[in-house]
Amino acid sequence: MQFKYPELLWALFLLLIPIFIHLFRLRRFKKTPFTNVKLLQKVVSESRKSNTLKKWLLLMTRLLLFSALILAFAQPFLANTKALAVKETVIYLDNSFSMWAKQVDETLINNAVQELLKSIPENSTFSLFTNTDEHKDVELIDIRNTLLNIAPTAKQLNLEEIELKARTFFSGNKNTVKNLIVISDFQNHMSPKAYTVDSTIQKHYVNLSGSDLENIAIDSCYISKPGIENIELTTVLSATPNIERAPVSLYNKDRLIAKTAALFENGKSEVTFTITANDLILGKLEIIDKGLPYDNHLYFNIDQKEKPKVLAIGNSPSNFLKRIYTDGEFEFSSFSLKNLNYRDLENQNLILLNGLDSFPNSLIASISSFVGNGGSLVIIPSGNANIDSYNQLLTSTSLGALLEGLNSENAITKIAFSHPLYEQVFEKSIRNFQYPKVNRFYKLKSNAPPVLSYQNGDAFLVGNNGLYLFTAALDNENSNFQQSPLIVPTFLKMGMNSLKRSDIYYVLDGPTTIDISRKMAKDHILKVTKGEQEFIPQQKNHANKVSLHFNGNPTEDGIFTISENGMALRHISFNYPRQESELVFMDLDNAQITSKQNSITTLFKALENDNRITELWKWFVILALFFLLIEVLVIKFLK
């Protein structure tokens, strides 16, 4: 038992005063002679004994009466140490897409909000944060409307991030009880790989889960078969095991252009649509199901292709390059050095220096400026290359330096399959292959990563990020590389990578970069719009293109228009990541937490019981009245 005002207990010492008075009272008795007092003495003796008992009873009842009153004014109570400590409460409310799953007739998030509004005491101060918002030291009335209008988000904090963010809301006082309440459905992707548990924070998990969860999701789509007239678009869907089929619709803007049914096997399905190749497609794939709403549609767009501009400069024949860089995919041109117009260089995406014996200083300066502005460069040496002239150019491009020419036949036997140039080119590593060879090559000193190498370990092709160098001439007299199967994917990827083409859609889970083949006027910028929404992405102007970087914007899915001064240039589509569609949840039985509940109301009742203080002063007042009643009865009935 503890007391709110323990200093009043000193008043108990005042109870000694009536005790002393009772024990040491100074009452004097007179002796009165009487003739025959034998009978009277007996009566007086009996009366004195009765009077003494009555006085002792009155003394005890009065002492107990005053003791009960003193204890009542000291306000005694019963409580554990946790109930007496100052408490700090931080609540994390998961508002990710998975919380919009249905539970009976309502979503998990709406049920959670209603329970919070009923369970949190009106005048209590707490902090609350979601995946997107935070509110520190507020009362329920301050954020009631915010909770009622909470919006879904693709962002999802894992448990480590939740705990780290919660620490910023708690004070540094070590004597307070810090309660962190995590309200979520605890999907598997919320579990961090490993993190240090903070023992100073009492974690209470409220695990919400939908009943009989069913969900169908459009996971992705891609062009499975490009063509001149028609394109095949493949859509990948997933579903919970108890779903067998679902209709899938394809829209171009708001017009329905195709519809089919997805048949699920082991929770997966693929459907294919055939669309016209030359049409502008602002597409949306759509399904209807009772599960999560955010993954029922997927946006994509197919714009007209932008052709990379490729320029070959050299005295050697460029027929093999013309066969690779066809008119349908590229804008290819070829000039000898004496017929070259230097003004054309800045308009190119890729320049190939093919078989030049040496480079004029003016060309070196122009190529250096072109590379500095983001252009791509491929250098194919001549069999009679001027090494000093080549090294002057290579120094400006950081590709290394040629050392000497060697007249030695050498086979090209090593392929760097993991190099970005060969990404998605080979299905598997090739072991048995008719390797091309060269009769003369140059020794190279370079830090650039090798792409193709000779059997003796020297590099045949090095480079990355749009800058490449061959160490041997590719004419038929020196090499049979032009007849090798490697030549097409090698030069084709160099050309395609020189102008980064946009995918048919992007995912809003990280930075995205695309190139727009556009020579921008001075002070012009590109804007991205969708309806009334408009923003300016981070952009970098090059001589012949603009690189756009998306990171943080946009924040919602849809098809956006990229425009310059109100003129639409192209479109770009964004979709939410689909990890929330995986309805797989964590096992919290072995989690290092203080408590786990399935209801917010139950948790707050448990916390209220932990904080309960039982006041006893009323019982002591009742006890004082009881002793007062006993005193009255003793005075009235004990003669």
Side-chain angles (χ1 to χ4, degrees), residues 327-482:
D327 293 338
E329 298 289 334
F330 300 89
E331 291 185 17
F332 178 76
S333 58
S334 176
F335 295 95
S336 62
L337 187 57
K338 64 179 181 180
N339 295 326
L340 178 65
N341 185 351
Y342 282 67
R343 293 180 180 179
D344 293 336
L345 298 183
E346 63 180 17
N347 297 324
Q348 306 303 314
N349 298 114
L350 172 64
I351 295 178
L352 300 105
L353 302 178
N354 181 23
L356 294 174
D357 294 336
S358 62
F359 306 107
N361 291 333
S362 57
L363 180 61
I364 293 176
S366 298
I367 293 296
S368 299
S369 176
F370 170 77
V371 171
N373 287 326
S376 298
L377 175 68
V378 178
I379 302 175
I380 306 171
S382 163
N384 300 312
N386 185 323
I387 292 179
D388 292 335
S389 179
Y390 266 80
N391 288 340
Q392 186 178 352
L393 175 61
L394 294 177
T395 301
S396 64
T397 57
S398 302
L399 283 173
L402 298 180
L403 300 179
E404 60 178 340
L406 299 177
N407 293 316
S408 174
E409 183 177 302
N410 214 341
I412 304 167
T413 60
K414 297 179 181 178
I415 305 172
F417 294 102
S418 60
H419 193 279
L421 187 65
Y422 291 141
E423 185 177 1
Q424 298 180 349
V425 171
F426 300 97
E427 293 183 358
K428 60 182 180 179
S429 298
I430 301 173
R431 300 300 179 189
N432 298 320
F433 186 73
Q434 187 175 357
Y435 298 109
K437 62 181 180 179
V438 299
N439 298 323
R440 174 180 170 82
F441 67 97
Y442 295 93
K443 295 281 288 185
L444 176 68
K445 180 181 180 182
S446 175
N447 294 322
V451 183
L452 299 171
S453 301
Y454 302 114
Q455 60 185 1
N456 65 353
D458 290 337
F460 170 69
L461 172 62
V462 298
N464 200 4
N465 298 324
L467 300 178
Y468 299 95
L469 169 66
F470 288 89
T471 60
L474 300 186
D475 56 75
N476 292 326
E477 295 179 358
N478 185 62
S479 172
N480 62 349
F481 187 71
Q482 291 189 25

Side-chain angles (χ1 to χ4, degrees), residues 126-177:
F126 60 95
S127 298
L128 182 143
F129 68 96
T130 65
N131 296 306
T132 52
D133 301 312
E134 54 185 56
H135 309 275
K136 186 174 183 180
D137 296 336
V138 295
E139 294 183 1
L140 189 59
I141 192 173
D142 300 326
I143 62 170
R144 184 186 298 273
N145 291 333
T146 302
L147 289 176
L148 291 174
N149 297 311
I150 193 167
T153 178
K155 296 180 180 179
Q156 172 66 77
L157 301 176
N158 63 38
L159 294 181
E160 180 181 15
E161 293 168 335
I162 292 171
E163 187 169 322
L164 289 174
K165 192 167 185 178
R167 291 179 192 173
T168 63
F169 292 94
F170 290 120
S171 68
N173 189 349
K174 296 182 180 180
N175 297 322
T176 61
V177 176

Side-chain angles (χ1 to χ4, degrees), residues 191 255 317 321 344 348 446 525 583 590:
S191 177
R255 182 171 61 90
L321 295 175
D344 293 336
Q348 306 303 314
S446 175
I525 57 173
L583 301 180
N590 298 322

Side-chain angles (χ1 to χ4, degrees), residues 15 68 75 77 84 130 149 156 159 220 240 268 279 284 320 341 353 361 382 431 456 466 476 488 582 586 588 596:
L15 298 178
Q75 294 194 20
F77 61 89
L84 299 177
T130 65
N149 297 311
Q156 172 66 77
L159 294 181
S220 62
T240 46
K268 292 291 183 180
D279 289 346
K284 181 176 74 168
F320 73 98
N341 185 351
L353 302 178
N361 291 333
S382 163
R431 300 300 179 189
N456 65 353
N476 292 326
V488 174
E582 300 176 4
M586 296 172 55
L588 300 178
K596 183 189 74 170

